[in-house]
Amino acid sequence: GACLLIGFLPRLMAVLCLPLLIAFMGTNLWSIMQGGYATCASCFGIWEKYFGSLTSVQSLVYDLVLFAFAIVIIVLHSGGFLSSRKWLAKGEKFDAATLKPKIRVFGRQLRNLGPKAMAYLNLTVKKAKEHPRIALSTGICLLILIACGITAVSISPAIPKNGATVEVLVVSDISVSEISETSAVISWMTDKPTISSVQAYAEDGVFTVTVTDEDQVTAHRLLVGGLSPDTAYHFKILLDDNRVLSEGRSFTTIAAITSPFMVSDVRVSWITESSATITWITNRPAISEVEYWIYGSKDHLEAAKDELTTNHNVNLVALKPDAIYHYQVKSMDASGNQATSTQIIMSTQIGKQAPDFTLNSLDGRAITLSDYRGKLVLLDFWLWSCSACREKMTIIQKAYARIPTEKIAILSIHPKVKESIIQMHVEDAGLTVPVLLDSEGVASDLYKVPVLPTTFLIDGDGIIRLIDPEFNNAEELENIFTTLLKGT
């Protein structure tokens, strides 16, 4: 096309262009009949970035113009087959001194354009008379191309296809969410249930991935993965037959995480007579492993899961009753980075008789555990300076205000600290739960309390039923009470 415009070997270039233009026009006509086509991202990605997308009709119009231009040059160019314009053949250099006369000459040529056009028209008619077969063939080709162009411009997307009507789908509410280093979720709506896809390609036009929603639905949501961090991507919504349903959109993945790989929030939940569940969180997806052993023993056991996750949950089984265990959690991410926790202690006393004790309460009363036989008792060992203890005590206090006291009792046990300090905290927090003072650590030693806070649930027969059950609010704690009451 550029050679045709500047006049470099125009007739040769026009002949070379014709097969390519015919192929392009055929492709565009086919895509119009299909209702659209998916842009070849590796060819047109950069074009679309700077100039926007071309529809099949627009591309066909451009091809028709170039085709007509090539035909005119082939028929009307007066030079030889390999001749160029004279100024190209002579290789004249720019001369500022001769610029003004040339401008005058160009002005006269513009004024003579009308007569020259008539002269070209007369020449065309003369050549047509001399070569009637060529003139007739050229005229038929031009008429066919004009008819195709008019049809392409006016054609409707709902064209019969294999005897059926191609429905016009409307795409709306296109959005990108949950953007990470290597993925993003793309959502959209269609006015009719359909199978559709997302085609993504990088900013430099390199094709990346196509993901298809195989369900015939109107609300579509697809995870596009395998992306690179901190990279701009373009995407389009397509039908399952590669018809384009939307204009190009874009998003940028987030930069790679540079924070260190860490383990946090390690907890023991739902200890039974012979099992326990260890949970923890990592800041990146990783595998789960727990190493555990009886205090003083050299035999270390392991329990693991190979699934990559950030919320870890590993069950320990075949534990020995009434034993003190040490354990340590380990996680390894996909890059081989490993993180571990410090050693933590847990106790298994489920099914054993709860040791009896007598402690003084903060209000001066002597409280004996065996006095509560026939009731479900919650013992909470806590410390006012421990944030996790205070958070747990807040939940227990809310439940305490609503429980049936004839069936359930709650006792909180605090280690040796000045009574005035405990009293001040209890008043500031608005606690009404009975607070027992374990000044000598008698109760803590009897129950082998490993860490604070630790919670024991004892049934009406004085048997330890649960240690540290998991609850995140007062309603969940009340459900635990209800379950244990039903069991008894």
Side-chain angles (χ1 to χ4, degrees):
C3 291
L4 294 180
L5 292 173
I6 67 175
F8 177 72
L9 302 176
R11 184 171 287 175
L12 174 63
M13 294 301 167
V15 172
L16 295 177
C17 279
L18 286 180
L20 190 62
L21 289 169
I22 291 171
F24 281 168
M25 287 187 291
T27 301
N28 287 321
L29 284 172
W30 174 85
S31 65
I32 291 172
M33 299 295 291
Q34 298 297 312
Y37 65 96
T39 301
C40 175
S42 60
C43 301
F44 300 125
I46 298 176
W47 170 276
E48 291 188 359
K49 176 181 176 182
Y50 294 104
F51 301 104
S53 300
L54 292 179
T55 65
S56 305
V57 174
Q58 290 172 328
S59 299
L60 181 60
V61 170
Y62 294 148
D63 293 339
L64 288 172
V65 171
L66 281 176
F67 189 89
F69 191 24
I71 292 295
V72 169
I73 288 176
I74 291 173
V75 174
L76 300 180
H77 183 61
S78 56
F81 187 79
L82 298 178
S83 64
S84 300
R85 288 184 178 178
K86 292 181 179 180
W87 65 274
L88 281 173
K90 292 180 179 179
E92 294 181 0
K93 296 182 179 180
F94 175 75
D95 187 356
T98 61
L99 180 60
K100 193 171 182 180
K102 288 184 177 181
I103 292 175
R104 291 197 186 97
V105 171
F106 182 67
R108 286 195 298 271
Q109 289 176 346
L110 288 178
R111 289 193 294 273
N112 296 330
L113 188 60
K116 283 188 175 182
M118 291 302 298
Y120 278 124
L121 181 59
N122 292 332
L123 178 61
T124 301
V125 173
K126 181 180 178 182
K127 286 193 174 185
K129 291 179 179 180
E130 294 174 354
H131 306 281
R133 294 182 178 177
I134 296 176
L136 180 61
S137 301
T138 303
I140 292 173
C141 290
L142 289 174
L143 288 175
I144 292 173
L145 288 173
I146 292 172
C148 291
I150 295 173
T151 303
V153 172
S154 60
I155 198 166
S156 168
I159 299 176
K161 178 183 176 182
N162 299 330
T165 300
V166 179
E167 295 183 343
V168 179
L169 290 172
V170 177
V171 177
S172 61
D173 298 333
I174 301 174
S175 63
V176 184
S177 61
E178 302 179 29
I179 300 175
S180 68
E181 301 171 61
T182 58
S183 64
V185 174
I186 299 177
S187 306
W188 69 96
M189 299 289 295
T190 52
D191 61 334
K192 300 180 181 68
T194 182
I195 297 174
S196 49
S197 307
V198 170
Q199 181 190 71
Y201 49 97
E203 192 174 20
D204 58 4
V206 177
F207 174 76
T208 301
V209 67
T210 297
V211 184
T212 302
D213 186 356
E214 299 293 348
D215 297 326
Q216 291 240 8
V217 294
T218 57
H220 305 266
R221 178 182 169 87
L222 285 178
L223 173 66
V224 179
L227 309 180
S228 300
D230 196 21
T231 304
Y233 287 92
H234 299 272
F235 70 92
K236 288 183 177 181
I237 309 299
L238 314 174
L239 273 179
D240 59 341
D241 58 2
N242 285 337
R243 281 184 288 156
V244 177
L245 294 179
S246 74
E247 295 295 327
R249 303 290 184 94
S250 63
F251 65 89
T252 301
T253 53
I254 64 174
I257 296 175
T258 57
S259 60
F261 180 46
M262 295 185 300
V263 166
S264 62
D265 199 22
V266 181
R267 297 186 181 185
V268 182
S269 63
W270 209 266
I271 299 177
T272 69
E273 187 174 11
S274 60
S275 65
T277 300
I278 312 297
T279 61
W280 70 95
I281 294 174
T282 54
N283 60 339
R284 289 201 287 272
I287 61 174
S288 312
E289 181 181 339
V290 177
E291 180 184 9
Y292 60 103
W293 61 96
I294 293 179
Y295 179 69
S297 171
K298 295 182 179 180
D299 296 330
H300 289 208
L301 304 174
E302 291 183 352
K305 289 183 178 179
D306 293 333
E307 178 186 1
L308 291 173
T309 181
T310 57
N311 294 297
H312 303 266
N313 184 311
V314 173
N315 295 322
L316 308 183
V317 297
L319 302 179
K320 293 184 178 181
D322 198 20
I324 297 176
Y325 280 87
H326 285 229
Y327 71 92
Q328 187 177 40
V329 303
K330 303 176 182 180
S331 287
M332 181 182 293
D333 66 10
S335 301
N337 301 309
Q338 186 170 4
T340 60
S341 70
T342 57
Q343 292 185 21
I344 305 175
I345 302 172
M346 67 178 178
S347 174
T348 57
Q349 303 176 52
I350 304 298
K352 300 294 183 179
Q353 188 74 36
D356 197 14
F357 60 81
T358 300
L359 297 174
N360 292 326
S361 67
L362 196 58
D363 57 7
R365 293 179 298 145
I367 304 294
T368 301
L369 177 62
S370 57
D371 292 342
Y372 292 90
R373 286 291 174 86
K375 291 185 179 182
L376 179 63
V377 179
L378 181 146
L379 295 182
D380 181 54
F381 290 83
W382 68 294
L383 182 66
W384 72 271
S385 59
C386 162
S387 60
C389 298
R390 294 196 302 270
E391 181 181 349
K392 195 170 188 179
M393 182 56 70
T394 301
I395 297 173
I396 292 174
Q397 173 62 43
K398 289 181 180 179
Y400 179 72
R402 302 198 295 244
I403 61 172
T405 55
E406 69 278 6
K407 295 182 180 180
I408 304 172
I410 295 178
L411 302 174
S412 66
I413 301 175
H414 200 286
K416 183 178 180 179
V417 177
K418 285 186 178 182
E419 291 186 24
S420 58
I421 295 176
I422 303 173
Q423 184 69 49
M424 180 179 63
H425 173 74
V426 167
E427 292 176 355
D428 290 344
L431 300 180
T432 60
V433 176
V435 178
L436 310 186
L437 303 176
D438 191 15
S439 301
E440 303 300 327
V442 173
S444 297
D445 291 341
L446 287 173
Y447 284 82
K448 300 177 182 178
V449 176
V451 292
L452 297 177
T454 297
T455 303
F456 293 80
L457 280 163
I458 305 167
D459 65 16
D461 296 323
I463 304 299
I464 299 174
R465 292 301 178 191
L466 292 176
I467 300 176
D468 268 341
E470 185 177 0
F471 53 88
N472 298 307
N473 51 57
E475 289 74 18
E476 292 182 4
L477 178 55
E478 291 174 34
N479 289 337
I480 293 173
F481 289 153
T482 301
T483 301
L484 290 176
L485 286 173
K486 288 180 179 179
T488 57

